[in-house]
Amino acid sequence: MRAARIHEDLVLRIEDIAEPAPGPGEVLVRVHAAGVCGTDLHILDGMIKPDPYPMTLGHEAAGEVAAVGEGVRTPVGTRVAIYNKIFCGRCEQCLKGRTNICDNEPEQLGFNRDGGDAEFAVVPEQNAVPVPDGVDLATASVLTCAGMTAMHATKLSGLRLGDTAVVDGIGGVGVIVVQAAAHAGARVLAIADSAKKLALAESHGASGGVILGDAGYETVADELRALTNGRGVDVFFELVGTTASMLAGIRSLAKGGRFVSTGYTDQSLEVHPIEFILPETTFVSTVAATRLDLQDALALASSGALTVPVAASYPIDGIHDALSALRARSVLGRQVLALA
């Protein structure tokens, strides 16, 4: 089969490798679509290091079950979205439903285990989540990262009906956070680096926001307070990961507000605790999402309450073009690889 493989020299190559076979309790998924995520750039840049190299890239994939191992009940032909965090289902965290921080199985597709940018992928049966009718597999693939991450962050934010929420970073995850926050009953504002991205956010439920200018994030807190009559915002979803964006988010919060840090960053945050103590604000961290979050994202998509703007579709040979567009921040929505 063909697969996009990252090597220790940080070069991504399309290679012909052996098709995997499912073992006991596993399914072989014929991948139809694989999402292209900003985190893939972190792997290509060496910020996140697979162990071992080489590794098949990609943590967003959906397709059909092509074969099953011993003890598997999922029928061949079932359409599935792959939950990318491998989990044991038995530890304290899994029994609490927190499969994203499983104590015993730290593997993750496309991070330290062969991922979904290939014609086939093998995963435990419990990681193959059925895709509801009415949800196409390109959409399902994006929901395995951007969609479930948005659901997880929104749930952990403590968002309440009538809150004002800000989504900072209108990329593939951000546009879904906008929808999830609006669905929860919030007034949603967006921070975007272009008028086109702000318009994308508004077309998915935002009621306005801020376009970053030459001053960058220096004036963002003041602009958000102006949009809230000086009060500040209840929830700030931070998806950019720069020191400046994080500080702007913290300083735009209303009393009792929640700063939600989502995603990976190589930049540090230095802030005096008093900035949280006096207004009784909260720092909330999130990583990936639970299997239930993926199920919820698929259900919302099936109901029509959540849509995924697919900006472009590429064959596997076009992955370098997709990644270049992502690095240039020119993508309006999410890109996918069409593998079948």
Side-chain angles (χ1 to χ4, degrees):
M1 70 173 187
R2 304 185 77 207
R5 307 272 285 172
I6 179 73
H7 292 256
E8 196 164 6
D9 58 5
L10 302 183
V11 174
L12 183 68
R13 303 183 180 100
I14 308 301
E15 299 176 345
D16 289 313
I17 62 173
E19 180 184 312
E26 294 182 330
V27 299
L28 175 69
V29 178
R30 173 69 169 101
V31 178
H32 284 238
V36 181
C37 178
T39 303
D40 295 333
L41 296 179
H42 295 327
I43 295 171
L44 291 172
D45 293 341
M47 188 180 107
I48 299 172
K49 298 182 183 298
D51 181 23
Y53 290 100
M55 180 197 73
T56 300
L57 197 65
H59 55 277
E60 305 183 9
E64 291 187 1
V65 174
V68 300
E70 182 182 350
V72 170
R73 295 184 178 182
T74 301
V76 169
T78 302
R79 299 190 321 138
V80 295
I82 297 176
Y83 176 64
N84 58 53
K85 298 280 281 190
I86 306 301
F87 63 101
C88 73
R90 302 180 303 274
C91 69
E92 176 186 353
Q93 299 305 327
C94 284
L95 292 174
K96 290 179 178 178
R98 302 175 74 177
T99 52
N100 58 320
I101 51 174
C102 170
D103 288 329
N104 296 320
E105 302 290 345
E107 284 190 313
Q108 186 170 4
L109 268 73
F111 283 74
N112 54 10
R113 174 186 174 121
D114 282 341
D117 290 354
E119 293 175 329
F120 293 91
V122 165
V123 295
E125 182 184 20
Q126 63 189 6
N127 285 75
V129 180
V131 175
D133 292 340
V135 179
D136 64 82
L137 291 175
T139 293
S141 71
V142 175
L143 296 180
T144 65
C145 176
M148 71 176 191
T149 298
M151 296 297 296
H152 190 63
T154 305
K155 291 176 184 178
L156 291 188
S157 73
L159 197 66
R160 293 182 288 267
L161 186 68
D163 279 352
T164 296
V166 170
V167 180
D168 180 25
I170 305 303
V173 178
V175 74
I176 300 180
V177 176
V178 167
Q179 295 175 72
H183 185 74
R187 173 201 181 196
V188 183
L189 302 173
I191 300 175
D193 58 12
S194 71
K196 287 184 178 179
K197 289 185 180 179
L198 181 58
L200 179 68
E202 290 175 335
S203 70
H204 285 82
S207 60
V210 174
I211 300 173
L212 296 173
D214 294 339
Y217 282 90
E218 289 183 15
T219 61
V220 163
D222 289 337
E223 291 180 78
L224 290 174
R225 290 193 178 277
L227 290 171
T228 56
N229 296 317
R231 178 179 177 274
V233 303
D234 298 291
V235 178
F236 189 100
F237 292 100
E238 207 293 305
L239 306 170
V240 176
T242 67
T243 299
S245 62
M246 290 186 279
L247 286 173
I250 291 166
R251 290 166 183 168
S252 69
L253 292 176
K255 292 179 179 180
R258 286 86 67 200
F259 175 87
V260 183
S261 181
T262 301
Y264 299 92
T265 179
D266 59 356
Q267 297 196 28
S268 61
L269 171 64
E270 184 175 337
V271 60
H272 197 287
I274 205 71
E275 293 201 48
F276 285 99
I277 292 168
L278 291 182
E280 290 192 343
T281 52
T282 302
F283 187 105
V284 178
S285 60
T286 75
V287 60
T290 70
R291 188 186 187 281
L292 179 59
D293 293 322
L294 175 53
Q295 287 180 247
D296 288 345
L298 288 164
L300 276 183
S302 179
S303 74
L306 187 156
T307 61
V308 173
V310 175
S313 178
Y314 298 82
I316 193 169
D317 296 291
I319 188 171
H320 293 94
D321 293 331
L323 289 165
S324 294
L326 196 60
R327 195 181 292 280
R329 303 183 66 84
S330 62
V331 180
L332 292 176
R334 202 67 154 188
Q335 302 173 113
V336 298
L337 302 178
L339 293 153

